[in-house]
Amino acid sequence: MVDAIIARGGSSGFEIPSCDELSSLIQDEMKDIHHYVKEVRQSWQSTGCTILLDRWTDEKGCSLVNFLVDCPKGPIFLKSADITGTIGNVNAMISLIDEVIEDVGVENVVQVITYTSSEFMDKVGKQLMNKYRTIFWSVCASHCITLMLQKIGMMKTMRRVWSQANTITKFIYSDETLLRLVKEHTHGRDLIMSSRIKSTIPFLTLENIVSENENLMIFFDSSTWKTSNWAHTAMGRELSNVVEDPTFWTEATLVLKATIPLVRSLLLVNGGHDNPLVPIIYETMDQVKETIKKEFRNKNYMPFWDAIDEIWDNTLHSHLHSAGYFLNPSLHYSSDFSSDSEVATGLSCCIVHMGEDHKTQDCISLQLDKYRTAMGTFGEEIAVDDRTKLPPVTWWSLYGSQCPELQKFAIRILSQTCCGASRYNLRRSSSEQRQTQGMKCGGIEFVQHNAHLQHSLSVKNNTTTNSNFFLEHTKELNDFVMAAKQELNSGRDGSDLVTEGKQELNTERDDSGWSDTDEAIVIRGVISSFEM
């Protein structure tokens, strides 16, 4: 690096640091990381924390898992492990998680979030909750929302639209000159939408295509297109037929009405690192359903609700989510707050499981009445004004002191996340090297991962638009559209696609830098992700 700087004339006379000087810099970095980790650990006693599991398969076919801990103070990396011989062995997996819980402290752990809804991990979760009364088990919200999109995407109309959308993107992006001409009509706007969350790319791309409806129709009706060689090819004629078919645009709009609310929620839960999600996930999923219902003008929306409810009820929903909804003051005191049986059951379950003893449980139950009716500090003018201005945890810290047991209970619940470890984008090669070389790389892995996590705290992701999401370059875009192709070839209707094998997301990442070549590879991958 230094030689390159000098060669470019950037620093004549610059002296390369000595080994001792470089060693000092590394030692300072290690001290900074250990200080960060220590501060995060000290916060667990008051806020509690969530253990995150992140599994992947390396090039040798070994199954590896990273263990992270998440809390409002920040995420930290604990360890990685090779679980190749543990898959299918519930007791062995629980023993591994036991070690992590012991390291964190069982009194600090509020929940464990896993990476998949597979039958194996479901058994692990149930046995773990039986063993630890105070710990909840949940599946990553991002994974579950992706399953909802997959479920909806397998419906007949949806599959037809993906096939036609593929005709548009595949042909246009196969020729640079044609792409340039199309962009002239779309005012430079790309049809393919970038996103660091690969499962959202087809939907966001379809949204772009629909938004350019008029411009695309103008181009394919122009003499430039009609007199071109492209227009006289079989694929070109098929493309023209798709663009000129009103049914395609009608059905594409229907697909977006059913899926974009879910896509927006997926971008939301994967967005920020500093905002706990338990206070909002219940309301978020409810608003997704209500938005879909409104988009369909209260007609024919039930198939989409059913697809969402199936995964919410059987996979995603946790009692913590219900309690978080109830204890979030911005929602609890709103005019449309509804404490139905699901919310009441979840709250009661959390009190029973998280209350240290019967006396504490009774205190929490009694103090809830003050919160419900906004008595004492809960009803003070400043507290009322701050209900929608402050994060729920901050609000409880300021105004819940008259109900200490309830305050502690609320803060621990409202401090938790709903998403797994994959959103932190740790470099998996470090963990793979650690497993290959043993303890020699253990310290490097710990420092590298936690330095990345510490830096991530200062990164503010934009959760309302997609402009700041970077393209995630992967070995292959393994989304639901490719699974649909397999289902169609087998003669099935795709309604039962949500199985363990197809639930796994291929989240392997390349450690190299971003380049134009990488972008070209991703564009081709995105196009193939539409193929039916």
Side-chain angles (χ1 to χ4, degrees):
M1 178 190 71
V2 174
D3 287 342
I5 293 173
I6 295 175
R8 293 172 65 90
S11 182
S12 59
F14 180 82
E15 294 184 6
I16 298 176
S18 67
C19 289
D20 288 340
E21 289 172 324
L22 289 174
S23 176
S24 177
L25 291 174
I26 294 172
Q27 291 298 322
D28 289 343
E29 176 69 10
M30 292 183 67
K31 288 179 181 178
D32 183 51
I33 294 303
H34 283 287
H35 178 70
Y36 163 71
V37 170
K38 182 179 179 180
E39 283 192 332
V40 172
R41 280 181 170 270
Q42 289 174 343
S43 73
W44 293 344
Q45 185 176 1
S46 59
T47 66
C49 61
T50 295
I51 295 174
L52 310 178
L53 280 61
D54 184 26
R55 195 200 73 152
W56 75 100
T57 302
D58 67 10
E59 294 180 352
K60 297 179 181 179
C62 296
S63 291
L64 306 175
V65 61
N66 281 333
F67 292 94
L68 284 72
V69 183
D70 207 338
C71 70
K73 190 71 174 178
I76 66 169
F77 168 83
L78 284 186
K79 62 184 288 188
S80 64
D82 186 341
I83 60 169
T84 306
T86 304
I87 301 299
N89 187 331
V90 174
N91 291 331
M93 192 67 187
I94 289 179
S95 178
L96 182 60
I97 298 175
D98 278 342
E99 295 177 7
V100 177
I101 292 176
E102 182 178 352
D103 181 12
V104 176
V106 65
E107 71 281 0
N108 296 322
V109 181
V110 176
Q111 68 172 340
V112 177
I113 293 182
T114 185
Y115 48 85
T116 178
S117 54
S118 68
E119 183 179 355
F120 165 61
M121 292 305 288
D122 183 55
K123 290 179 180 178
V124 171
K126 289 178 179 176
Q127 288 199 25
L128 198 73
M129 285 194 292
N130 287 334
K131 183 173 183 178
Y132 297 100
R133 182 182 64 86
T134 60
I135 297 177
F136 292 87
W137 178 273
S138 184
V139 180
C140 172
S142 176
H143 176 71
C144 291
I145 296 173
T146 299
L147 294 183
M148 294 173 187
L149 287 169
Q150 288 178 344
K151 191 76 174 175
I152 293 174
M154 292 306 101
M155 296 176 181
K156 185 177 180 179
T157 298
M158 308 293 176
R159 296 201 306 266
R160 182 166 57 247
V161 169
W162 297 132
S163 179
Q164 293 168 322
N166 171 64
T167 300
I168 296 174
T169 57
K170 185 175 183 179
F171 193 84
I172 292 175
Y173 278 82
S174 66
D175 189 288
E176 291 184 6
T177 303
L178 176 59
L179 177 58
R180 178 178 56 79
L181 290 173
V182 171
K183 280 191 173 183
E184 288 179 1
H185 284 73
T186 62
H187 307 289
R189 187 182 183 191
D190 257 310
L191 296 182
I192 293 178
M193 185 66 173
S194 63
S195 173
R196 69 181 179 87
I197 308 170
K198 66 182 181 182
S199 58
T200 67
I201 291 176
F203 302 96
L204 296 172
T205 297
L206 183 62
E207 187 178 35
N208 273 1
I209 292 173
V210 171
S211 69
E212 296 295 338
N213 176 357
E214 292 184 5
N215 292 328
L216 289 173
M217 293 183 71
I218 290 173
F219 173 73
F220 286 103
D221 190 45
S222 68
S223 59
T224 302
W225 167 256
K226 291 183 177 180
T227 58
S228 69
N229 292 330
W230 304 302
H232 296 91
T233 65
M235 184 66 77
R237 288 191 294 270
E238 182 181 354
L239 175 57
S240 294
N241 290 335
V242 170
V243 174
E244 294 169 2
D245 183 6
T247 303
F248 166 71
W249 298 109
T250 299
E251 292 184 343
T253 301
L254 181 148
V255 170
L256 295 176
K257 287 181 177 181
T259 58
I260 287 300
L262 278 169
V263 170
R264 299 303 182 210
S265 69
L266 185 54
L267 295 175
L268 171 66
V269 300
N270 276 275
H273 298 161
D274 55 351
N275 297 317
L277 294 167
V278 163
I280 65 169
I281 188 65
Y282 193 96
E283 175 69 6
T284 296
M285 296 313 302
D286 186 59
Q287 287 301 313
V288 164
K289 291 173 59 179
E290 290 301 320
T291 301
I292 292 174
K293 180 180 179 181
K294 182 179 179 181
E295 288 288 344
F296 282 85
R297 298 181 181 179
N298 299 333
K299 296 179 181 179
N300 304 319
Y301 62 88
M302 282 308 300
F304 310 114
W305 275 33
D306 291 341
I308 293 171
D309 286 340
E310 179 183 346
I311 295 165
W312 170 261
D313 294 336
N314 300 324
T315 306
L316 174 57
H317 179 57
S318 164
H319 290 309
L320 285 174
H321 303 160
S322 295
Y325 170 70
F326 186 93
L327 294 168
N328 184 343
S330 67
L331 301 175
H332 183 85
Y333 295 113
S334 66
S335 58
D336 57 353
F337 174 77
S338 175
S339 182
D340 57 19
S341 59
E342 186 176 63
V343 173
T345 299
L347 180 64
S348 298
C349 183
C350 287
I351 293 173
V352 171
H353 283 265
M354 297 177 66
E356 299 172 1
D357 47 44
H358 290 300
K359 181 180 179 181
T360 302
Q361 294 168 15
D362 290 341
C363 285
I364 293 173
S365 298
L366 290 173
Q367 291 166 7
L368 276 173
D369 287 334
K370 293 185 178 180
Y371 172 64
R372 286 192 185 97
T373 57
M375 293 176 60
T377 53
F378 294 129
E380 291 181 355
E381 183 177 352
I382 188 172
V384 172
D385 191 47
D386 283 343
R387 288 171 183 172
T388 57
K389 294 181 179 179
L390 297 178
V393 171
T394 305
W395 188 88
W396 275 95
S397 298
L398 292 174
Y399 307 117
S401 58
Q402 289 185 349
C403 301
E405 289 80 10
L406 177 59
Q407 182 188 49
K408 178 181 177 180
F409 173 74
I411 289 175
R412 288 176 69 85
I413 290 176
L414 297 170
S415 296
Q416 308 312 312
T417 184
C418 290
C419 268
S422 61
R423 75 185 189 277
Y424 289 119
N425 300 310
L426 293 183
R427 290 188 173 186
R428 290 168 167 178
S429 60
S430 300
S431 298
E432 291 169 5
Q433 187 178 14
R434 158 76 172 83
Q435 295 303 319
T436 301
Q437 300 186 15
M439 291 303 297
K440 185 163 53 176
C441 290
I444 297 175
E445 177 192 30
F446 182 85
V447 171
Q448 283 183 340
H449 285 335
N450 282 304
H452 171 83
L453 293 171
Q454 183 186 34
H455 175 69
S456 72
L457 293 176
S458 63
V459 178
K460 299 294 184 180
N461 287 336
N462 190 332
T463 60
T464 58
T465 70
N466 234 27
S467 59
N468 291 336
F469 284 103
F470 56 88
L471 276 170
E472 180 185 59
H473 39 109
T474 60
K475 293 182 179 179
E476 181 182 2
L477 285 172
N478 182 27
D479 61 19
F480 69 88
V481 182
M482 299 306 293
K485 179 178 179 181
Q486 298 173 4
E487 292 302 306
L488 288 173
N489 291 338
S490 67
R492 294 160 61 188
D493 65 2
S495 61
D496 56 346
L497 249 187
V498 186
T499 57
E500 177 181 350
K502 296 185 180 69
Q503 290 167 353
E504 298 294 342
L505 300 178
N506 179 9
T507 55
E508 296 191 14
R509 298 173 183 86
D510 188 347
D511 287 340
S512 62
W514 185 250
S515 68
D516 292 340
T517 302
D518 294 323
E519 184 174 1
I521 292 172
V522 172
I523 292 296
R524 289 197 295 272
V526 173
I527 292 171
S528 69
S529 76
F530 274 114
E531 292 183 356
M532 295 297 294

